[in-house]
Amino acid sequence: MDKEKSGGLGFLSILTLIFVVAKLFGVIAWSWWLVFTPVLIGVGLTVFILIIAVIAAAVSD
């Protein structure tokens, strides 16, 4: 039975790479905070989901 591997980059990672390359080549004049916003969104969503899971676990006990 072969297991499929889910590798590679996700949407937010690809978007971040595009923004970084555009910033380095001078295509966009954004601040670095805006360039790395997709990373911050990903971290924020992960933290939000973890908080919801902890609350759900605490309420179910």
Side-chain angles (χ1 to χ4, degrees):
M1 193 176 206
D2 291 331
K3 291 185 178 181
E4 292 184 31
K5 293 184 179 180
S6 177
L9 300 173
F11 173 72
L12 293 177
S13 298
I14 293 171
L15 193 59
T16 302
L17 285 174
I18 291 170
F19 288 168
V20 167
V21 169
K23 171 79 172 172
L24 292 175
F25 282 103
V27 177
I28 56 175
W30 300 349
S31 70
W32 283 106
W33 283 105
L34 286 175
V35 172
F36 285 105
T37 299
V39 173
L40 299 174
I41 291 170
V43 170
L45 284 174
T46 302
V47 169
F48 178 73
I49 291 169
L50 286 174
I51 290 171
I52 296 299
V54 168
I55 292 172
V59 170
S60 67
D61 286 343

